[in-house]
Amino acid sequence: MVSKIVEVSAWSAVVVMTLSVAACGGDEAACAGANANNNCAEVDAAVPSGCTSSAECAAPTAVCDVGGTATCVACTAGEASACTGTTPVCGADNTCGGCTSHAACAASDVCLPTGACADAATVAYVAPGGSGTTCTQAAPCNKLGAALMTDRPYVKMTGTINDQVTLTNQTVTVLADPGAVLTDTTTGILMKVDGASQVSIYDLTIQEALGGTNAGLSLQPGNTAMVRLERVAVSGHAGAGITMSGGTLTVTGSTVSGNQGVGITASGGTLTVTRSTLSGNQGGGLDMTALGVVTLTNSLFHHNGNNVTASVGGVRLQPMAGSKVEFNTIVDNQAITSGSTSTGGVFCDVGTFVAVGNLIFRNTGGGANVQTVGVCSYGNSYVAAGMSATDNTPMFVKPSAPEFDYHLTAATPPTILNAGGACTGDDLDGDTRPQGGACDLGADELVP
């Protein structure tokens, strides 16, 4: 009896399964237990692809692009807040990236060098016409000195600010809106840095300190400060653009121009100038008057000095061990014709030092060899012989007035193009080096 019951039950199960499978092929009401509606049509329907909500996504792509690709992405325009930290901006490709402008940071209006947006509470704001005393975003101060007194780690400058300041043992990053200027209508140095200060300045113009022999920026005697200038312009001063007496100064992607004294003068310390332009400084381009560690790379020195008072046209330095002078263009500078250390081009007097990859030519004034004076050697650099006032060998885009465009061209001879071997860092414009088999001589890398 038991075995007959089992046989019948098994046969019944087979029949039920067969009927269910057949029903799912066409009878919408016959798929019992297949889904909540017992509906075969829903079972047979195609399963949707991709996500339908962010709940289906997980980091690092935790947002569903519902109205677009229906895939999990890092962010969307509607969920831009998914981007945080050093990548706070949602791009058109639905990926998070760093900010590249202050306007990209709606809450604070401050984009940090790291690519992160600053917390407004950490910023002291300075703007023309500001009347605040706490230098908040809603009530900015009108003086840089007032902002520095808040001891906040960041200062945001907008417009033209008239002020002279001294930073002593202070750590601060100064960030400027496009066109922001620090200036003054009285005599004196605009910005003094002293003690063990650590100061970084981005995108600011420092100009027009009037009277005497005043500089725009000065690292004071005895300091151990570290100062960084990036995309900064220092111009129009009655004295030097920048002076340093010890400390560490790094100048990147900046211009020092049109100062009545030397562009940068240093009596010690550690100086780095990279991807920068020093031009039209009447006292000379750069003058390191004492032994120091100096790094000059991928920079342009032109139309510095004069033939009446300037003992240096382009560069004078006394490099200590660890120094580097590589892939610079030093052209059309001028110095007085007397003096054993006068040179229109480069004075360098350390016998063991080799400066490689440079273009040094068409400088005038100075001693017997106006291009270079001293016992330094220049490796594979192109150094013109004698005066060479009309030497256009490097074939610049526009080697004459008024433009003086010192970029290389396809017509530049092979003694310049791909003749520099290995080099460090991007060129003056930020182009990757090398573009060919080796680096081009000078500050510019020709981009095909």
Side-chain angles (χ1 to χ4, degrees):
M1 179 65 68
V2 173
S3 86
K4 288 183 179 179
I5 293 174
V6 170
E7 289 175 2
V8 171
S9 299
W11 178 83
S12 299
V14 171
V15 171
V16 170
M17 290 178 62
T18 302
L19 290 174
S20 296
V21 171
C24 282
D27 186 351
E28 291 186 353
C31 288
N35 50 48
N37 301 321
N38 297 318
N39 192 324
C40 289
E42 291 180 3
V43 173
D44 291 342
V47 177
S49 61
C51 60
T52 58
S53 74
S54 294
E56 302 169 37
C57 301
T61 54
V63 177
C64 181
D65 184 14
V66 176
T69 61
T71 59
C72 293
V73 295
C75 64
T76 62
E79 293 191 56
S81 60
C83 297
T84 59
T86 57
T87 56
V89 178
C90 184
D93 59 352
N94 298 125
T95 62
C96 296
C99 59
T100 57
S101 69
H102 297 308
C105 300
S108 66
D109 195 34
V110 176
C111 175
L112 299 177
T114 61
C117 292
D119 180 345
T122 66
V123 182
Y125 293 84
V126 186
S131 57
T133 58
T134 56
C135 306
T136 62
Q137 188 174 12
C141 296
N142 64 3
K143 295 291 185 182
L144 175 58
L148 294 172
M149 289 179 65
T150 67
D151 284 328
R152 293 177 200 148
Y154 305 110
V155 170
K156 171 69 179 304
M157 292 183 63
T158 301
T160 298
I161 303 300
N162 289 274
D163 204 4
Q164 293 178 358
V165 296
T166 298
L167 297 90
T168 303
N169 298 324
Q170 188 161 6
T171 298
V172 67
T173 296
V174 179
L175 303 141
D177 265 336
V181 179
L182 175 66
T183 189
D184 197 37
T185 56
T186 61
T187 63
I189 297 169
L190 279 181
M191 183 178 290
K192 296 179 182 178
V193 182
D194 208 350
S197 295
Q198 297 189 45
V199 181
S200 296
I201 304 174
Y202 293 83
D203 302 300
L204 181 66
T205 294
I206 302 172
Q207 70 178 22
E208 295 181 3
L210 303 178
T213 57
N214 298 308
L217 171 68
S218 180
L219 280 68
Q220 295 293 286
N223 83 90
T224 58
M226 298 182 66
V227 177
R228 177 180 180 85
L229 308 180
E230 188 155 345
R231 301 183 302 275
V232 169
V234 183
S235 64
H237 300 285
I242 301 172
T243 65
M244 61 179 297
S245 303
T248 299
L249 173 65
T250 301
V251 182
T252 302
S254 297
T255 60
V256 183
S257 63
N259 299 290
Q260 294 302 302
V262 181
I264 301 175
T265 181
S267 57
T270 300
L271 172 63
T272 298
V273 178
T274 183
R275 295 187 49 243
S276 295
T277 298
L278 280 73
S279 65
N281 300 292
Q282 291 301 298
L286 185 151
D287 193 0
M288 200 160 197
T289 60
L291 288 171
V293 178
V294 59
T295 299
L296 308 181
T297 57
N298 302 303
S299 292
L300 171 63
F301 299 79
H302 72 93
H303 289 94
N304 297 293
N306 65 81
N307 63 1
V308 178
T309 60
S311 59
V312 56
V315 175
R316 179 163 57 191
L317 50 91
Q318 299 181 58
M320 295 175 62
S323 295
K324 180 188 297 185
V325 179
E326 299 180 355
F327 294 90
N328 305 288
T329 298
I330 302 169
V331 58
D332 288 332
N333 301 288
Q334 189 175 41
I336 57 177
T337 57
S338 62
S340 60
T341 63
S342 296
T343 176
V346 179
F347 171 80
C348 181
D349 206 27
V350 178
T352 57
F353 186 75
V354 181
V356 301
N358 302 284
L359 288 177
I360 306 171
F361 71 104
R362 218 169 66 179
N363 302 288
T364 59
N369 184 350
V370 299
Q371 306 307 320
T372 62
V373 171
V375 297
C376 295
S377 57
Y378 293 87
N380 62 349
S381 299
Y382 176 89
V383 181
M387 293 293 289
S388 299
T390 59
D391 186 353
N392 290 323
T393 298
M395 301 283 184
F396 292 132
V397 169
K398 186 68 174 178
S400 56
E403 292 90 350
F404 291 107
D405 186 338
Y406 294 108
H407 289 89
L408 302 179
T409 75
T412 301
T415 52
I416 307 299
L417 298 179
N418 299 313
C423 58
T424 302
D426 297 335
D427 78 347
L428 179 66
D429 302 316
D431 296 324
T432 301
R433 311 191 80 160
Q435 292 285 325
C439 295
D440 302 331
L441 297 182
D444 178 48
E445 185 76 10
L446 179 64
V447 178

